[in-house]
Amino acid sequence: MKLIMKCLLYSVIVVLLITASALIFKNHPEVQLAFLIPGVFIFVYSKIRDEMYVSAAARLRMARGK
């Protein structure tokens, strides 16, 4: 159940991020957004990837520094 809630939450976050980036790009098509928006997507992807595919034991080992 917890995994389903995480997937649902991350799906909502990604949809909101895509919508917000499309609206921002529509209103402000400056060059800086060409670098900012993909950077935000890479950051969100890395957070989702770390949370979804790393086991709890591995996260505990990383926190302890082993």
Side-chain angles (χ1 to χ4, degrees), residues 43-62:
F43 177 75
V44 169
Y45 171 77
S46 68
K47 288 296 184 183
I48 291 171
R49 177 82 179 159
D50 288 346
E51 186 69 31
M52 297 297 287
Y53 296 108
V54 176
S55 68
R59 249 185 268 130
L60 186 59
R61 277 197 313 267
M62 284 187 268

Side-chain angles (χ1 to χ4, degrees), residues 2 4-6 11 14 17-18 21 23-25 27-29 33 38 40-41 43 47 49-50 53 57 63 66:
K2 191 174 182 179
I4 293 172
M5 292 301 292
K6 283 183 183 180
S11 298
V14 168
L17 183 62
I18 290 170
S21 64
L23 291 174
I24 288 172
F25 187 73
N27 295 329
H28 303 283
L33 291 177
V40 170
F41 276 106
F43 177 75
K47 288 296 184 183
R49 177 82 179 159
D50 288 346
Y53 296 108
K66 293 183 179 180

